[in-house]
Amino acid sequence: MPIPVIADVDTGVDDALALLFLAAHPDIDLRAVTCVAGNASLAQVAQNTLDVLAVAGCEAPVACGVDRPLIEPARDAGSYHGANGIGNLALEPSPRQPEPEHAVELLRREIDASPEPVTLLSLAPLTNIALFLRLYPQTAAKLERIVVMGGTASAGNASAVAEFNVWHDPEAAQIVLTSDVPTTLYPLDVFNRVVATDEQITQLKDAATPHARLAAALLDYQLTLADLPADIASGAKLGDAGAAAFLVASEHFGVETWPVGVELSHGYARGQTVVDRRLRSGEAEEHGLMAPTVRSEVALTVDGPAVAASFINTVCGA
Ligand code: RIB
Ligand code: CA
């Protein structure tokens, strides 16, 4: 049976790649997509999302959520994702509009209506999901789990130590990571290591379907970013699409369970996800100081080429 999935996105080049995968994979039933400000403004995210789903031939309902974080103003990633948030690609405008209801209401409606537990895939700042958890805890308790593309157990990207989705709204991330809903973190440690090769991009172009051609164009844009780990010489990062593939290809990942906390102070480390991999507590605890206590599953290693191949085969085969 395909797994029911709702994706929360800030489309975004890599969110678009994830949506193409989610719409194409036979073992995934994409029930809805909710939008939040992040990579781009809420309005731009919603338009990009509708346009990508139209290319994928996916009719899943799309709803708009919040246009800024809980505390601070929105701070987009236009320098990375392009002025329109989707690599400056000019997509055919979708004939569809977002649902009239707020994203939080669409989450409640779809999760309450689902006979099977829904997996919530977060690919964006966590503001919508935090508000949903606070407003509808009984509905949230029906979730299978939340998979969060966010955080890092090593270096950051938005800042030296913080990953963009958590950095954009650290309070929302803290709410989600300390909730009672089982949560798996998909941090930069694996996010950065799922990379498509030039040959795989050519495979997409040869497939010559609308969604394969769009995936190739998005990956060609990713090639221009040159932000690969030092030990990966070339390729196009799949980003959020790796988190989408994690839902159906978790055998390619190494997952551990550790206490995870979010730094909320307004300094260098704001938005840092502290993954506490110590085997024993230390002086911080002995002297009554703070230490992360809520344990989350964290994906820390990945067979990047295997996941990239899963993405290519899925989108080419759709
Ligand atoms: O840090 C990477 C994450 O932030 C990705 O989800 C990207 O799309 C942005 O939302
Ligand atoms: Ca994203």
Side-chain angles (χ1 to χ4, degrees):
M1 285 292 286
I3 58 167
V5 173
I6 296 176
D8 190 69
V9 298
D10 60 337
T11 311
V13 174
D14 58 330
D15 304 72
L17 289 165
L19 289 171
L20 292 173
F21 179 87
L22 293 168
H25 200 285
D27 295 340
I28 292 174
D29 177 6
L30 184 60
R31 296 282 179 82
V33 182
T34 51
C35 300
V36 66
N39 288 325
S41 69
L42 177 61
Q44 186 69 63
V45 165
Q47 191 59 58
N48 292 344
T49 300
L50 287 164
D51 296 349
V52 170
L53 291 177
V55 172
C58 175
E59 294 287 312
V62 173
C64 295
V66 291
D67 63 359
R68 56 166 293 181
L70 295 175
I71 307 291
E72 294 180 295
R75 298 182 174 106
D76 68 51
S79 61
Y80 188 91
H81 288 266
N84 68 357
I86 194 142
N88 301 316
L89 298 180
L91 301 185
E92 181 70 27
S94 167
R96 285 206 296 155
Q97 293 295 317
E99 300 296 305
E101 64 206 308
H102 191 280
V104 170
E105 298 307 323
L106 181 60
L107 284 167
R108 182 191 55 77
R109 170 160 65 89
E110 288 291 337
I111 294 166
D112 277 341
S114 178
E116 321 83 16
V118 169
T119 293
L120 183 50
L121 177 63
S122 169
L123 301 175
L126 290 127
T127 322
N128 284 344
I129 299 175
L131 291 173
F132 165 68
L133 292 174
R134 285 286 192 266
L135 280 169
Y136 299 115
Q138 294 84 355
T139 300
K142 300 177 182 175
L143 284 169
E144 175 69 24
R145 64 174 173 168
I146 306 173
V147 174
V148 173
M149 188 282 120
T152 174
S154 47
N157 57 5
S159 78
V161 293
E163 177 278 325
F164 178 82
N165 290 335
V166 174
W167 171 85
H168 201 257
D169 195 341
E171 284 74 21
Q174 177 79 334
I175 288 170
V176 175
L177 290 176
T178 56
S179 78
D180 295 331
V181 180
T183 300
T184 302
L185 209 55
Y186 186 96
L188 292 181
D189 308 74
V190 289
F191 175 94
N192 285 333
R193 305 197 62 80
V194 181
V195 175
T197 64
D198 290 339
E199 294 73 24
Q200 289 173 322
I201 297 173
T202 302
Q203 268 182 262
L204 289 167
K205 291 172 182 172
D206 293 346
T209 57
H211 43 282
R213 272 200 303 270
L214 176 54
L218 291 162
L219 288 170
D220 276 343
Y221 178 82
Q222 292 284 81
L223 281 173
T224 68
L225 297 174
D227 66 340
L228 296 173
D231 62 331
I232 299 179
S234 64
K237 205 181 287 184
L238 290 186
D240 286 339
F246 176 74
L247 301 183
V248 288
S250 59
E251 66 274 13
H252 298 308
F253 293 85
V255 179
E256 302 172 22
T257 301
W258 297 105
V260 179
V262 181
E263 180 54 58
L264 301 178
S265 66
H266 288 258
Y268 290 134
R270 177 163 169 79
Q272 181 178 15
T273 44
V274 179
V275 180
D276 188 351
R277 286 180 276 186
R278 292 176 297 165
L279 298 180
R280 61 177 289 277
S281 61
E283 286 69 19
E285 290 90 339
E286 288 164 20
H287 292 278
L289 299 176
M290 283 183 75
T293 55
V294 180
R295 298 170 68 82
S296 288
E297 285 192 342
V298 186
L300 287 169
T301 58
V302 61
D303 177 349
V307 178
S310 169
F311 173 85
I312 299 296
N313 296 337
T314 297
V315 176
C316 284

